[in-house]
C-alpha cells in the first residue's frame, strides 16, 4: 500500500518561502515512493467557520464548499502537511481558515462521540508543520504552534507524531533558497516521516 500524503500550501504568495519548503518535502517524499497531493488553499473555496455549531448535530459542516472534498481527504491521508508563513506573529489567514473549519472533527470527537478515523488507523498517521518567517526572533513561531497542534489533535494525530520545520530570517521571496540548511533539513524530515510510517505498518 502506498503512503498517502495530503499537503496544504497556505500562503497567498505563490511559490514563496513556505511553499518552496513544502515542495522540497513533497519531492523527497515522492522520491521515497509516497503518493502526494498538494492543495493551494488560496486557490480553492474554503470559507471561514461561521461559529454556528451546527456540526454538533449534523456531524458535518453546514457550508457546502471545497472543504467537503478536503474533509474526506483529511480522514483518508496517512500524513497531513500544513505549510504557512507567519503573518503578524501567527498563521496566515488562509491556514487559520482551514484550522477553524476542522471544528467539525472536534464536534464529532467530543460532542457526538464518534470516531474520526477507524481504531486500527490510530497511531498510524503523522502531521508536519512547515513555516517560514521574516523575523529572526526565537519566539516568532510560538503563537502558530498551538493552532497547528489543535488541527492535528482533532484529526487523531498525536503530539508525538507531529514534526516541525520552521525557518526564520527568510523574508523576501526566494530567500529560503539561500538558507544554508533548509533544503537538506526538508529532505531529511521527509525521509524520516516516510520511514516512520512504514515502520508502523502504513506501507
Amino acid at each position: 500500500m502506498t503512503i498517502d500524503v495530503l499537503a496544504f500550501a497556505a500562503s497567498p504568495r505563490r511559490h514563496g518561502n513556505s511553499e518552496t519548503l513544502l515542495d522540497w518535502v513533497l519531492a523527497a517524499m515522492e522520491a521515497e515512493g509516497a503518493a502526494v497531493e498538494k492543495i493551494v488553499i488560496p486557490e480553492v473555496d474554503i470559507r471561514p467557520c461561521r461559529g454556528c455549531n451546527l456540526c454538533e448535530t449534523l456531524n458535518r459542516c453546514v457550508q457546502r464548499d471545497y472543504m467537503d472534498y478536503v474533509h474526506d481527504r483529511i480522514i483518508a491521508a496517512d500524513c497531513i502537511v500544513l505549510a504557512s508563513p507567519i503573518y503578524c506573529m501567527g498563521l496566515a489567514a488562509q491556514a487559520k481558515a482551514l484550522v477553524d473549519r476542522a471544528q467539525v472533527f472536534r464536534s464529532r470527537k467530543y460532542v457526538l462521540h464518534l470516531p474520526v478515523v477507524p481504531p486500527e488507523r490510530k497511531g498510524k498517521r503523522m502531521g508536519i508543520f512547515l513555516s517560514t518567517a521574516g523575523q529572526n526572533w526565537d519566539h516568532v513561531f510560538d503563537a502558530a504552534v498551538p493552532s497547528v497542534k489543535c488541527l492535528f489533535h482533532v484529526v487523531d494525530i498525536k503530539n508525538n507524531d507531529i514534526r516541525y520545520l520552521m525557518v526564520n530570517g527568510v523574508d523576501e521571496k526566494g530567500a529560503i533558497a539561500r538558507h544554508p540548511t533548509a533544503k537538506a533539513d526538508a529532505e531529511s524530515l521527509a525521509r524520516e516521516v516516510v520511514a516512520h510510517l512504514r515502520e508502523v505498518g502504513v506501507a
Side-chain angles (χ1 to χ4, degrees):
M1 191 171 75
T2 303
I3 293 170
D4 181 7
V5 179
L6 176 64
F8 295 97
S11 177
R13 179 172 69 177
R14 288 305 316 274
H15 310 297
N17 295 316
S18 65
E19 189 175 353
T20 298
L21 196 62
L22 174 63
D23 288 343
W24 288 336
V25 168
L26 297 183
M29 295 181 101
E30 284 186 310
E32 294 294 317
V36 166
E37 178 181 7
K38 183 172 83 169
I39 295 173
V40 180
I41 298 177
E43 295 186 356
V44 298
D45 181 23
I46 296 179
R47 301 167 203 161
C49 175
R50 294 180 181 177
C52 63
N53 288 331
L54 284 172
C55 56
E56 294 184 355
T57 54
L58 296 175
N59 190 25
R60 64 174 177 83
C61 184
V62 71
Q63 301 187 72
R64 302 274 64 81
D65 61 6
Y66 197 74
M67 197 66 191
D68 287 339
Y69 172 76
V70 168
H71 171 280
D72 293 345
R73 287 293 292 118
I74 284 174
I75 293 172
D78 301 309
C79 179
I80 299 167
V81 189
L82 175 61
S84 173
I86 297 298
Y87 288 169
C88 299
M89 304 304 293
L91 291 174
Q94 292 79 4
K96 190 60 167 60
L98 175 70
V99 172
D100 291 349
R101 288 292 294 281
Q103 177 81 348
V104 67
F105 298 110
R106 192 275 318 176
S107 296
R108 182 172 305 160
K109 193 172 185 177
Y110 295 111
V111 178
L112 299 173
H113 304 290
L114 297 171
V116 174
V117 297
E120 64 271 17
R121 294 190 63 217
K122 289 192 175 182
K124 295 184 178 182
R125 284 157 56 86
M126 295 191 73
I128 300 174
F129 177 53
L130 306 172
S131 190
T132 56
Q135 299 90 345
N136 277 309
W137 307 325
D138 291 339
H139 61 278
V140 71
F141 300 104
D142 289 359
V145 169
S147 290
V148 172
K149 285 185 174 181
C150 178
L151 168 66
F152 289 137
H153 178 73
V154 296
V155 299
D156 282 341
I157 296 174
K158 301 182 297 183
N159 280 346
N160 287 345
D161 293 326
I162 304 172
R163 302 292 184 268
Y164 303 89
L165 179 54
M166 301 176 287
V167 181
N168 59 359
V170 287
D171 195 5
E172 72 278 5
K173 187 174 183 178
I176 192 78
R178 298 188 295 275
H179 190 277
T181 66
K183 187 174 184 181
D185 291 342
E187 292 169 344
S188 176
L189 173 62
R191 290 189 292 268
E192 187 264 322
V193 168
V194 170
H196 179 81
L197 287 170
R198 286 191 176 129
E199 185 179 319
V200 299
V202 172

